[in-house]
Amino acid sequence: EHINNQTTSTRLSWRPIRYNMGTKAKEQMIEQSGVEDNQELHRCFNNQRCLKSINTSTIRKRRRCSKLLNALVGMAITSHVFQIPERMSAHAFLNQRNGPRPWGLSQEKPCWRIRKSGYSGVFVPSYYSTLDDFDKPLSDRLSFYSYNLQKHRSQRNTKTAKSFSYFLRDNPITDAQNDSDLPSNLTRALILATRTAGEVGDYRLILHLIESSVKFANGNPILSPRIFGEALNSLSQTKANASKLKRIWTLATSNEAILARPLTAFELNTFMKALAKLGRIRSSIDVLLQHTDESNEKVHIIPDAYTASTLFTALRDSISADQKQEKELASQSRRTDSTLQSRLKVVSRSPAWQWNTAVDLLHIFDFEDFHWNNQAYSTLLKLHEKAAAIFPEHINGSEITIAILDDMSQKNVLPDEMSCSLVVKCIGDPSGNRMAWKNSIDFLRRMSKEEALPLPNVFAYSAAIVACARCSEYEVALELLEEMRAGTIAQLDSTAHASTIPAPNTWVYNAVLLAINDQKKYRRRHNPARKVSRPTKGRVELAMQLFEQMKSDCESGSENLRPDTVTYNMVLSIMGTENPPPEVSLIALLDEMIQNGTPRDAITYRNAILASPSGKRTRRLLLRCLDDDLLLSRSLETLQGKAANAMTFIFNGALSTAASRRSLKDFTNAFSLMQERNIEPSDDTTSHIISIVGKSGNSNLLPKLLSALNEDVSFVEFKSELLTATGISLGQHWLPQLSDTHYHEATTACLDDNNIADAHRAFGAMKNKGIVPHSGYAEDFAVAYARAARNIIRGEKDLVHQTANMSPKQLAQNAYRIAAAITGPSPSTLKVVATSCAMTEQWGMAQKLLRSVQKMVVSESERLLNTKEILCDLQSSLLRECAHQGNVTAALWFVNDIQHFAATQIHPNNSKVVPTEHDLEGMPHSVTNEMSLEHTGVHMRPTNWVSLVKAARKSGHWRVCVNTLQFLRPYVVKTNPSYYGTEDEKLQWKKYKKLVPALVHATACLEIRSQYAWALRAIMDWISWSGRRAPPQAVLSVIRVLSARGRGEEVKDLLAETVHHPSILGNTEDGEGQEEMLYSGACTALHRNGLYDDADEIYVSGVSNGYLGFSFRPGDEAMVLDLHGLNVALAHSAVRVAMRQLTTMPKGQKKSDMMIITGRGRNSAFHLRPVLRPEIQRMLLEEFYPPLNTVSVPGNMGALLVNADDIYRWQEHQEGQKGLRMLAVAAAIKDLSSSRLRKSIVLSMEANKENKKAHD
């Protein structure tokens, strides 16, 4: 009656009832309602709180609506207000699945909620409208839902979304043309509903909403494609699998009639991103290929720049370090390559299939209306960056970046700050080019000069510093840091637009510390060819200076320079590179972190332990980390992988340090502490135990260790044996279960200890467990056999067990058989085995292995790490071994193979451009094409030619020596001072000194074979090629062979020509001047071959030029000749020269004795057994006439005294001999002027004419 008295314009409201309704009130309510199904109403009333009154003043939505409320209010409204026919009974409202829902107010399930607060909330839409509004179009009802969905979204309430879903399902439209606002209102409501469901993770509701919307459309084109994109995006936020995503996509692509417009790139991008998020990257690529194919007439979608960005991002996120190095994922039918695609295919070569796929799919975005943007290029650069960071074989990073940058310029895409920072970082990739850091610096300068580019920011500078760190150029990184601190750019021209260089922050300092750190593993990843670490002396001091600089700047007010955890970790890591350790205490740094409130993580303590100089300090650090309360939480929040398990990671670092030092005591101390504190072990813990047992010389225990951990043998017995041998006490079930890696490590540890027998036992234990060995095991055994053969030959290490009864040749043969049986062995393994075969004089095997490595270079195996470098090292090793053993035949085999292979890289079908064995043994060979092979990287290097000359010298093949020098000529000419500037002088000196041994060995061989003409020619050619003085050893070899042939004049000419040119080694060599060495060697050679006059002339020349010493001075009672420091030949010459000087003295001068100081023999080979004294006495008696007698000086056994009368008689004799020589000369001149000589000449000419006529 109360309702009947209201007008149709009255506003209704439902309010929560706060009081209980008694049984009598329930009966009265049921009777007044007129509902026939009293049992259903009683069921709804039981244990529920009900309405106390109905107020018709306002409508307010509260909580949820129940079946009872639907029944009561629905019946009231139906019967008395809206004049709905009576056929819509209470049964229709209570059993809603069998009847229509009025205007979305009903729910499928009872949702009356009883609250402890004392009232029951009833919840209806708070949409204020007149009762006549329910007759408005459907778009208004959708707006009604949109309003409530937006309102309840923040409450994470999905009841309205569910109600909307059922409304769409049960009310399909028949004609949408009369309502223009219907598509937009429907789109808004569906987007709100799907987002609400996605935020709470209800993927079932999202699927139901989309399916209901398809039924609601009923074939009418009212659904916007964005609805499906939003649904896919919301599904990606839930736990829905890929099949649910494909279900939505199938609804979108198979019902074109219900779409207001075709699908766009937005929906495709969302679907690809959702699939990639689930790890279905290949499915994402298939979808892209399917719907961007123009031949797909059903659903063809035009991609945009964000499609490319989505693709590259998905590929980048899918790269992992443990993935297989697969080939590129490429379709068989490719379109014509675009400019960027063709350039990248030329310069890029990656084991990451993601990068190869991205390059292959670039043709999809090669059409006229496609517009690249910075985001697409940036994601492509990020993909390249990650591939290069994980795979060192991803080479040519600079060329790839330059190609992308050029394509940006061609498409008029101006790089933004992010793109430029990525370019600076990627263009400095050191793979394949260690000088790539210069590219980063050059582009950084371009950013400052060119107005089209953004100014360099902190990220750009940091990227440039990281590029310097990758190339180990910490000096350049320091210069960039100083440039940022100074705020000015050095040496910039006037074209640079006004700018302010960003101030450095903590990130920049951390990058500089990374460059200073220069860890071996970092260099090995980015520059595997580098073998030797750069000297670390002074780097700790430099790092500490930067560290103090950061702290002082921070105290001055620069909060962005406060050292963080990464800073301290870097400093600790750098401190571990210096031996002995620095004075700065590791404990002091940790105390400073605690004082400043800097968090510590697992890496902090691990780096401190790795830098610890002793096991005692390592234990202190371990105890300290156990007491650090913030360590575990920090590591779990910021670290991933092994470092997330902080304590295990730290203790494994201590075990690793002790194992690397081979210190059993430190290892047992750390291991015992780990057990006492119940630190959970990991697989790395077992690996470190295997390592220390093998390195401590107890590799025979490793097979037993594997069996004990697998409970194959008694653990108690093995535990006592291990404790006795190493001091390590193991718990039976404390270590984790053995993995395949542990068997491999045990086998490798035995092989490293040359314990091949126990390595076989460990390998057998692995096979018994059903573990399939990979080819790496066979390679390890091959390397072990080869290394054992090498160690026996060199005598470096005694072998144990079965290798003691095997000869080096047998070991090398076993290594070769294993390597030959492996499918696809690594080139490094073949290198070691080939070297061992060469050392055991099995040249045929070595040659076959060399050719196998050469095939790897030209095949797909060239993607292996540094195959060319390994091949070059193998070539050098084989030729050095040939030189060591003096086997020129094998050396010529290898040279022929090397040059032939290098020539085939340029001329695949021409094999006549290389020297053969006949060429090297015969006449000089043409070498005009020698330098053209250099760029192949696998040619004969200069040191290889030197090894060939050395082998030929030991074999006595002088022709090979002479002709090989011609192949060295281009390299010698390149070191000529006239061909380079002063800035390259030191480098050219180093190159020249590597070539010098070739001439030394060649002239030594020519000396042995008495080929004085070729020897002299070789010296003169070398001087003309190099523009320098020939090495003194080579010159002395030529002097000796010329002296043996009696060619003293040529010796003097050669000596003068040699001394005229500059030296290679400076003023001294082996403590003696080169000029002194040459003159002394020449005098000795001439003296030994009886050319005393020539020797005396050279001695006089050396004395006059200041190269040789000559001390002949008047004494108190005699002339004194000091022979100290002279060899026998020089002493002879000095005595003869002194005696000649005596003959030039005036006749009236008083006669005097001559004292010759020879020394007592203190520096002789046999102490106090002089060499010069008896030799001088013999010379004065045998070579002088009349003989000169000598007597010892009283009190001085190191001096001889020649009597003045004997000297006077010798002078008289010399003057007489001089007169006779003058008479002989006069007679010869008389014969020349007489007619007798003229007659003899005429007769000789006539006889020659007669002989010529007879011959004609």
Side-chain angles (χ1 to χ4, degrees):
E1 293 175 355
H2 181 70
I3 293 176
N4 289 335
N5 293 331
Q6 306 299 319
T7 62
T8 56
S9 61
T10 303
R11 302 179 183 272
L12 299 176
S13 73
W14 301 338
R15 300 179 62 186
I17 308 304
R18 300 179 181 270
Y19 304 100
N20 293 333
M21 181 179 292
T23 304
K24 186 175 181 180
K26 292 180 184 177
E27 297 293 341
Q28 185 178 1
M29 176 71 76
I30 293 172
E31 291 177 0
Q32 293 178 358
S33 65
V35 180
E36 297 178 359
D37 194 352
N38 294 336
Q39 294 183 356
E40 183 69 20
L41 289 177
H42 276 292
R43 186 183 65 81
C44 295
F45 269 117
N46 287 337
N47 299 324
Q48 304 287 339
R49 300 189 180 191
C50 194
L51 294 172
K52 181 179 180 182
S53 64
I54 298 180
N55 188 359
T56 60
S57 60
T58 60
I59 294 179
R60 181 173 297 174
K61 180 180 177 182
R62 287 281 187 177
R63 305 291 181 183
R64 298 181 179 179
C65 191
S66 68
K67 285 186 177 181
L68 174 63
L69 203 57
N70 282 335
L72 295 177
V73 180
M75 284 299 299
I77 294 176
T78 301
S79 303
H80 303 289
V81 180
F82 296 106
Q83 304 299 322
I84 301 299
E86 295 181 359
R87 56 185 174 85
M88 298 184 64
S89 62
H91 180 76
F93 286 92
L94 294 174
N95 299 279
Q96 296 168 15
R97 294 184 179 180
N98 299 326
R101 296 181 177 82
W103 313 288
L105 297 179
S106 62
Q107 302 290 328
E108 181 179 0
K109 297 180 181 179
C111 37
W112 187 274
R113 177 175 294 179
I114 301 174
R115 293 186 175 272
K116 294 182 180 180
S117 57
Y119 70 93
S120 181
V122 182
F123 158 87
V124 297
S126 58
Y127 179 79
Y128 291 89
S129 62
T130 61
L131 296 178
D132 295 335
D133 289 343
F134 289 99
D135 294 333
K136 287 190 175 182
L138 190 59
S139 61
D140 294 344
R141 305 177 199 174
L142 295 177
S143 299
F144 173 82
Y145 272 108
S146 299
Y147 178 84
N148 287 281
L149 286 168
Q150 180 68 31
K151 183 175 182 180
H152 298 132
R153 181 182 174 186
S154 60
Q155 302 174 4
R156 301 177 64 84
N157 193 325
T158 60
K159 289 301 181 180
T160 307
K162 290 180 180 179
S163 173
F164 180 55
S165 174
Y166 290 119
F167 170 75
L168 294 177
R169 185 194 67 179
D170 298 334
N171 295 277
I173 64 173
T174 57
D175 187 7
Q177 296 180 357
N178 297 329
D179 195 346
S180 60
D181 296 333
L182 178 62
S184 60
N185 292 339
L186 177 62
T187 300
R188 183 171 183 269
L190 279 172
I191 290 175
L192 290 171
T194 53
R195 288 181 178 177
T196 302
E199 289 170 358
V200 299
D202 192 349
Y203 67 88
R204 294 183 179 88
L205 178 57
I206 298 174
L207 294 173
H208 196 268
L209 281 167
I210 298 302
E211 292 173 350
S212 299
S213 64
V214 173
K215 293 181 180 180
F216 178 80
N218 196 20
N220 294 291
I222 60 173
L223 295 182
S224 172
R226 184 183 173 186
I227 295 173
F228 296 94
E230 293 288 346
L232 291 169
N233 186 45
S234 299
L235 272 181
S236 65
Q237 303 174 17
T238 67
K239 296 181 179 180
N241 54 23
S243 63
K244 306 298 188 297
L245 296 171
K246 294 180 179 179
R247 184 174 171 183
I248 297 294
W249 186 254
T250 302
L251 289 174
T253 56
S254 60
N255 297 278
E256 297 182 8
I258 62 175
L259 296 178
R261 57 183 180 274
L263 293 173
T264 63
F266 169 75
E267 291 76 38
L268 177 62
N269 300 344
T270 307
F271 187 37
M272 291 174 57
K273 188 184 300 182
L275 288 174
K277 187 177 181 180
L278 296 176
R280 305 295 294 272
I281 180 62
R282 297 181 185 271
S283 299
S284 178
I285 294 173
D286 293 339
V287 170
L288 176 65
L289 292 173
Q290 176 185 357
H291 294 289
T292 57
D293 190 0
E294 295 180 356
S295 61
N296 188 352
E297 299 179 354
K298 185 176 180 181
V299 180
H300 174 65
I301 301 176
I302 299 176
D304 58 5
Y306 297 100
T307 308
S309 176
T310 302
L311 172 65
F312 301 148
T313 302
L315 289 171
R316 176 185 180 273
D317 295 339
S318 66
I319 298 178
S320 62
D322 55 349
Q323 72 178 32
K324 294 182 179 180
Q325 297 185 8
E326 302 179 8
K327 298 180 181 179
E328 57 178 330
L329 185 66
S331 58
Q332 297 296 328
S333 58
R334 298 184 181 181
R335 302 186 182 186
T336 304
D337 295 345
S338 65
T339 303
L340 179 60
Q341 186 182 33
S342 60
R343 290 193 60 182
L344 291 181
K345 283 186 176 181
V346 171
V347 300
S348 65
R349 185 180 62 212
S350 175
W353 65 265
Q354 291 89 342
W355 172 258
N356 299 326
T357 301
V359 174
D360 187 70
L361 295 179
L362 285 175
H363 70 272
I364 296 176
F365 314 109
D366 184 24
F367 56 91
E368 185 177 358
D369 295 335
F370 186 84
H371 301 289
W372 287 82
N373 59 11
N374 273 291
Q375 184 177 355
Y377 283 114
S378 297
T379 52
L380 183 59
L381 287 170
K382 289 180 180 179
L383 171 61
H384 157 59
E385 176 194 359
K386 188 172 183 179
I390 294 181
F391 299 102
E393 301 88 346
H394 184 90
I395 61 174
N396 297 332
S398 300
E399 290 80 358
I400 293 173
T401 308
I402 292 173
I404 296 174
L405 192 62
D406 291 343
D407 195 70
M408 295 178 70
S409 177
Q410 293 177 4
K411 294 181 171 58
N412 296 324
V413 178
L414 296 178
D416 55 8
E417 291 184 349
M418 178 181 292
S419 301
C420 289
S421 299
L422 287 170
V423 169
V424 172
K425 188 174 183 179
C426 296
I427 206 172
D429 183 14
S431 59
N433 181 13
R434 191 177 174 276
M435 304 301 292
W437 60 271
K438 293 184 178 180
N439 299 330
S440 296
I441 304 300
D442 293 341
F443 190 80
L444 189 69
R445 300 306 183 205
R446 284 183 56 189
M447 293 177 65
S448 300
K449 293 179 181 180
E450 299 180 8
E451 295 186 0
L453 297 176
L455 295 174
N457 54 12
V458 176
F459 302 103
Y461 272 94
S462 299
I465 294 173
V466 170
C468 296
R470 290 176 175 176
C471 299
S472 303
E473 295 292 337
Y474 70 93
E475 297 91 347
V476 183
L478 288 172
E479 292 177 2
L480 290 176
L481 176 61
E482 291 300 324
E483 179 180 302
M484 296 182 70
R485 296 188 77 239
T488 57
I489 301 178
Q491 297 180 356
L492 287 182
D493 52 26
S494 58
T495 59
H497 52 290
S499 63
T500 302
I501 297 180
N505 56 11
T506 303
W507 194 0
V508 175
Y509 273 91
N510 291 343
V512 177
L513 290 173
L514 174 64
I516 297 175
N517 194 8
D518 193 26
Q519 289 289 336
K520 291 182 179 179
K521 61 181 181 180
Y522 193 80
R523 290 195 314 275
R524 185 165 56 250
R525 167 171 290 184
H526 295 282
N527 194 8
R530 189 173 184 183
K531 300 178 182 179
V532 182
S533 173
R534 296 184 64 177
T536 59
K537 185 177 181 180
R539 294 198 180 193
V540 174
E541 291 78 2
L542 185 59
M544 296 307 298
Q545 290 177 5
L546 289 177
F547 185 56
E548 295 298 331
Q549 189 179 85
M550 288 183 66
K551 293 191 293 185
S552 62
D553 292 345
C554 180
E555 293 174 358
S556 301
S558 301
E559 287 296 326
N560 59 343
L561 288 177
R562 182 178 298 277
D564 58 2
T565 304
V566 178
T567 309
Y568 282 95
N569 292 349
M570 280 292 177
V571 172
L572 291 171
S573 179
I574 295 172
M575 292 173 66
T577 61
E578 189 173 29
N579 191 18
E583 297 180 358
V584 181
S585 174
L586 302 173
I587 304 297
L589 283 178
L590 296 177
D591 292 338
E592 184 178 316
M593 294 182 70
I594 296 175
Q595 182 179 358
N596 297 334
T598 305
R600 283 83 56 204
D601 57 15
I603 298 178
T604 306
Y605 284 98
R606 184 182 176 92
N607 288 347
I609 289 172
L610 294 178
S612 177
S614 62
K616 185 180 295 185
R617 186 174 295 182
T618 299
R619 183 176 178 83
R620 290 180 58 190
L621 291 171
L622 290 175
L623 293 173
R624 190 183 185 92
C625 76
L626 290 170
D627 298 334
D628 196 333
D629 298 332
L630 299 178
L631 172 62
L632 295 178
S633 59
R634 169 71 181 178
S635 300
L636 290 174
E637 292 175 0
T638 60
L639 301 180
Q640 298 178 354
K642 297 180 180 179
N645 193 353
M647 289 302 173
T648 304
F649 182 69
I650 294 170
F651 273 85
N652 283 337
L655 297 179
S656 175
T657 303
S660 62
R661 295 174 181 168
R662 301 176 182 266
S663 176
L664 271 174
K665 181 180 178 181
D666 296 344
F667 189 93
T668 52
N669 290 336
F671 189 71
S672 300
L673 182 61
M674 187 176 184
Q675 290 179 313
E676 291 173 4
R677 297 302 182 94
N678 295 322
I679 305 300
E680 181 184 1
S682 64
D683 290 341
D684 291 341
T685 309
T686 308
S687 300
H688 297 320
I689 294 175
I690 294 173
S691 176
I692 191 62
V693 171
K695 291 180 178 180
S696 62
N698 298 292
S699 58
N700 58 316
L701 296 177
L702 291 177
K704 299 179 182 179
L705 173 63
L706 299 177
S707 300
L709 294 178
N710 283 324
E711 299 181 355
D712 295 336
V713 297
S714 175
F715 185 85
V716 178
E717 296 179 0
F718 172 75
K719 178 180 178 181
S720 60
E721 184 179 0
L722 180 65
L723 182 62
T724 304
T726 63
I728 300 175
S729 178
L730 281 180
Q732 184 170 2
H733 300 290
W734 188 67
L735 290 175
Q737 187 177 2
L738 291 177
S739 63
D740 300 356
T741 307
H742 296 143
Y743 287 94
H744 177 70
E745 290 171 347
T747 305
T748 305
C750 292
L751 293 176
D752 290 341
D753 198 36
N754 290 323
N755 189 349
I756 299 180
D758 285 313
H760 279 286
R761 295 188 183 96
F763 185 72
M766 179 188 66
K767 296 179 65 176
N768 293 335
K769 289 298 179 181
I771 301 173
V772 179
H774 52 78
S775 60
Y777 286 94
E779 293 190 30
D780 291 339
F781 277 98
V783 171
Y785 278 112
R787 187 171 56 242
R790 180 195 63 190
N791 292 340
I792 291 178
I793 294 174
R794 296 180 179 177
E796 294 180 356
K797 190 173 183 180
D798 295 333
L799 300 179
V800 295
H801 302 287
Q802 69 178 30
T803 60
N805 299 324
M806 299 177 66
S807 65
K809 191 170 184 178
Q810 291 174 332
L811 292 170
Q813 288 175 351
N814 291 339
Y816 174 77
R817 294 191 187 102
I818 296 174
I822 300 174
T823 302
S826 65
S828 58
T829 300
L830 297 183
K831 171 192 170 184
V832 176
V833 176
T835 304
S836 67
C837 292
M839 295 179 69
T840 55
E841 299 183 6
Q842 301 181 84
W843 306 108
M845 296 180 181
Q847 187 178 28
K848 291 179 181 179
L849 294 174
L850 172 63
R851 292 176 177 177
S852 299
V853 179
Q854 288 175 343
K855 291 179 181 179
M856 291 182 180
V857 175
V858 297
S859 64
E860 293 182 353
S861 298
E862 65 179 348
R863 294 190 179 187
L864 297 174
L865 176 64
N866 269 351
T867 308
K868 282 190 176 182
E869 288 295 329
I870 293 174
L871 175 59
C872 292
D873 291 342
L874 175 58
Q875 294 171 173
S876 300
S877 300
L878 294 177
L879 289 172
R880 281 196 305 268
E881 196 59 37
C882 292
H884 178 71
Q885 301 182 23
N887 194 325
V888 70
T889 303
L892 290 174
W893 291 351
F894 294 134
V895 170
N896 189 42
D897 285 349
I898 294 170
Q899 289 294 83
H900 177 77
F901 177 72
T904 55
Q905 302 301 301
I906 304 176
H907 309 285
N909 299 323
N910 187 3
S911 61
K912 298 181 180 181
V913 295
V914 296
T916 62
E917 183 176 343
H918 175 72
D919 295 326
L920 291 171
E921 290 184 345
M923 298 303 293
H925 187 271
S926 175
V927 293
T928 54
N929 293 329
E930 174 61 23
M931 297 302 294
S932 64
L933 302 178
E934 187 173 359
H935 74 277
T936 62
V938 292
H939 63 295
M940 281 284 293
R941 296 186 177 181
T943 53
N944 296 345
W945 291 115
V946 174
S947 298
L948 177 60
V949 175
K950 184 177 179 181
R953 191 262 299 177
K954 290 186 177 183
S955 301
H957 285 65
W958 64 271
R959 290 186 177 87
V960 176
C961 293
V962 171
N963 288 284
T964 305
L965 290 178
Q966 300 298 322
F967 288 94
L968 282 171
R969 176 180 178 178
Y971 302 102
V972 178
V973 171
K974 288 177 66 176
T975 63
N976 195 305
S978 60
Y979 289 93
Y980 62 86
T982 57
E983 66 276 3
D984 298 327
E985 184 175 358
K986 292 183 179 180
L987 179 62
Q988 297 301 331
W989 277 110
K990 292 180 180 180
K991 291 182 179 179
Y992 178 72
K993 287 196 290 185
K994 292 180 180 179
L995 303 174
V996 166
L999 182 62
V1000 174
H1001 291 304
T1003 53
C1005 181
L1006 293 169
E1007 177 190 359
I1008 295 172
R1009 302 305 295 268
S1010 298
Q1011 297 293 329
Y1012 68 91
W1014 283 110
L1016 186 60
R1017 170 68 182 275
I1019 290 292
M1020 294 303 177
D1021 287 346
W1022 190 275
I1023 293 175
S1024 64
W1025 297 344
S1026 64
R1028 294 184 178 88
R1029 177 185 305 173
Q1033 300 92 335
V1035 177
L1036 291 177
S1037 295
V1038 179
I1039 289 175
R1040 286 192 292 268
V1041 70
L1042 290 173
S1043 300
R1045 290 301 187 95
R1047 296 179 174 271
E1049 292 297 328
E1050 296 182 12
V1051 170
K1052 291 185 283 185
D1053 295 340
L1054 174 61
L1055 194 59
E1057 180 67 20
T1058 303
V1059 176
H1060 173 70
H1061 289 83
S1063 168
I1064 171 180
L1065 300 174
N1067 295 327
T1068 62
E1069 180 180 305
D1070 298 330
E1072 184 179 10
Q1074 286 192 27
E1075 293 82 3
E1076 181 181 357
M1077 181 191 301
L1078 291 173
Y1079 277 93
S1080 176
C1083 291
T1084 303
L1086 293 169
H1087 174 78
R1088 289 177 179 176
N1089 290 280
L1091 303 177
Y1092 301 126
D1093 293 337
D1094 294 327
D1096 294 345
E1097 291 182 17
I1098 290 178
Y1099 178 74
V1100 172
S1101 176
V1103 171
S1104 61
N1105 292 324
Y1107 302 139
L1108 297 177
F1110 180 68
S1111 177
F1112 186 55
R1113 65 186 185 279
D1116 295 337
E1117 297 180 356
M1119 298 293 294
V1120 179
L1121 176 62
D1122 191 355
L1123 301 181
H1124 273 114
L1126 301 181
N1127 59 17
V1128 174
L1130 292 178
H1132 278 235
S1133 297
V1135 172
R1136 284 192 292 266
V1137 171
M1139 295 299 292
R1140 290 194 186 100
Q1141 285 189 4
L1142 290 177
T1143 60
T1144 61
M1145 291 183 179
K1147 293 183 179 182
Q1149 187 175 353
K1150 182 181 177 181
K1151 299 178 182 179
S1152 61
D1153 299 336
M1154 184 173 69
M1155 181 186 294
I1156 303 175
I1157 300 176
T1158 60
R1160 298 182 180 182
R1162 292 179 179 177
N1163 297 325
S1164 301
F1166 299 97
H1167 187 59
L1168 296 179
R1169 292 186 181 182
V1171 176
L1172 287 182
R1173 180 185 176 88
E1175 186 64 27
I1176 296 300
Q1177 288 178 325
R1178 184 201 61 79
M1179 180 189 70
L1180 293 175
L1181 289 175
E1182 296 179 0
E1183 297 182 11
F1184 286 82
Y1185 186 84
L1188 299 176
N1189 295 315
T1190 59
V1191 295
S1192 299
V1193 178
N1196 188 1
M1197 295 301 297
L1200 294 174
L1201 187 64
V1202 182
N1203 189 272
D1205 295 334
D1206 293 341
I1207 295 174
Y1208 180 75
R1209 286 194 296 269
W1210 179 79
Q1211 289 177 344
E1212 291 291 337
H1213 178 74
Q1214 290 298 316
E1215 290 178 0
Q1217 292 296 321
K1218 183 177 181 181
L1220 294 175
R1221 285 195 294 269
M1222 293 299 295
L1223 291 175
V1225 172
I1229 294 174
K1230 182 178 180 181
D1231 289 339
L1232 289 174
S1233 60
S1234 64
S1235 59
R1236 184 176 57 185
L1237 180 62
R1238 290 196 298 270
K1239 290 180 181 179
S1240 62
I1241 293 175
V1242 171
L1243 290 175
S1244 177
M1245 294 177 62
E1246 291 178 354
N1248 289 336
K1249 289 182 180 180
E1250 291 178 358
N1251 293 333
K1252 186 176 181 180
K1253 290 180 180 180
H1255 184 269
D1256 295 339

